[in-house]
Amino acid sequence: ELARKTQSVATLQQQLTEAQGAVQQLQTNVQRLTMLCKRSDDLRAQVESKLRSERTAAAAHDTHAVELRTRIGALEAAAKQHDAVVSQYKEVLQSVDDEKTQLQRELDAKDEQLAALVAEKRDGDARTRQSAEYVEQTQQQLSTHIEQLREREQEVASLMAQVQKLTARKNQLEETNKL
């Protein structure tokens, strides 16, 4: 009878040790999940910041392109006026045409830059969508993990209740053994 009680106490102690190990593992998992959530939030903030910068740069290039088109329109009007006055203004007209060509080159270069920026923005939008999908997927995984942890916490609470019952039983058996 004493050997059976001693064996029962040893089994209870083994179960208590296992339950304590499970609780410690759960605490470690919660810490890891908390760190993952913080990294996910940091990544989202970086992506949103980059997107804002790209939009600002694209708007600035759009404004500059409009200004260049306005200047070209003004130069074309001046060129027509000089053509009407005829040959004495040919030198002036030539310089205006040269400037127009230069401005057209600048406009073409700006249009190419703008096209490149638009392409970069599209790429950035795609990366932003991918990042957002990754963040959403990670958050879903974290939610699933947290739900699993809650279930594990309930299991641990149940185990702790069993451990308390077993500890009380062990104490009662020890008291009985003393008698």
Side-chain angles (χ1 to χ4, degrees):
E1 177 64 17
L2 180 60
R4 187 178 64 77
K5 289 181 179 180
T6 303
Q7 179 63 36
S8 177
V9 167
T11 302
L12 288 173
Q13 288 174 336
Q14 173 79 21
Q15 289 175 346
L16 177 61
T17 302
E18 289 173 3
Q20 288 170 340
V23 167
Q24 191 173 25
Q25 183 62 42
L26 279 173
Q27 289 171 340
T28 301
N29 287 344
V30 166
Q31 288 173 348
R32 287 182 185 156
L33 285 172
T34 302
M35 287 173 54
L36 281 174
C37 284
K38 183 177 182 340
R39 280 192 224 147
S40 173
D41 290 343
D42 291 347
L43 178 61
R44 179 181 289 240
Q46 290 173 1
V47 166
E48 289 173 351
S49 175
K50 180 162 180 153
L51 182 59
R52 280 192 299 275
S53 297
E54 289 175 355
R55 285 182 180 152
T56 301
H61 281 280
D62 286 346
T63 301
H64 192 56
V66 168
E67 291 171 0
L68 287 175
R69 284 190 184 100
T70 302
R71 285 174 62 191
I72 288 172
L75 288 172
E76 287 173 344
K80 287 177 185 175
Q81 185 180 9
H82 281 286
D83 284 340
V85 183
V86 204
S87 63
Q88 65 185 21
Y89 293 107
K90 282 186 179 180
E91 290 180 8
V92 175
L93 178 60
Q94 185 61 47
S95 69
V96 168
D97 284 340
D98 291 344
E99 188 175 347
K100 175 185 165 190
T101 302
Q102 179 60 32
L103 286 172
Q104 187 62 51
R105 282 190 201 122
E106 289 178 25
L107 179 61
D108 291 344
K110 292 296 179 185
D111 283 343
E112 288 175 13
Q113 289 176 352
L114 181 60
L117 279 172
V118 167
E120 285 177 21
K121 181 181 176 296
R122 273 193 228 114
D123 290 345
D125 288 346
R127 285 192 300 273
T128 299
R129 280 192 297 278
Q130 289 173 347
S131 295
E133 289 169 5
Y134 172 76
V135 167
E136 184 176 321
Q137 185 180 36
T138 301
Q139 287 178 336
Q140 288 174 353
Q141 290 172 349
L142 288 175
S143 295
T144 301
H145 278 302
I146 289 169
E147 189 60 35
Q148 290 171 348
L149 282 174
R150 287 188 179 129
E151 291 172 8
R152 292 289 290 164
E153 285 176 346
Q154 290 175 355
E155 290 174 18
V156 167
S158 175
L159 285 173
M160 290 302 288
Q162 289 178 9
V163 165
Q164 288 174 350
K165 286 179 185 176
L166 291 172
T167 303
R169 179 73 178 137
K170 174 187 144 199
N171 292 339
Q172 185 182 16
L173 288 172
E174 287 175 353
E175 287 298 321
T176 305
N177 282 345
K178 288 180 184 176
L179 295 176

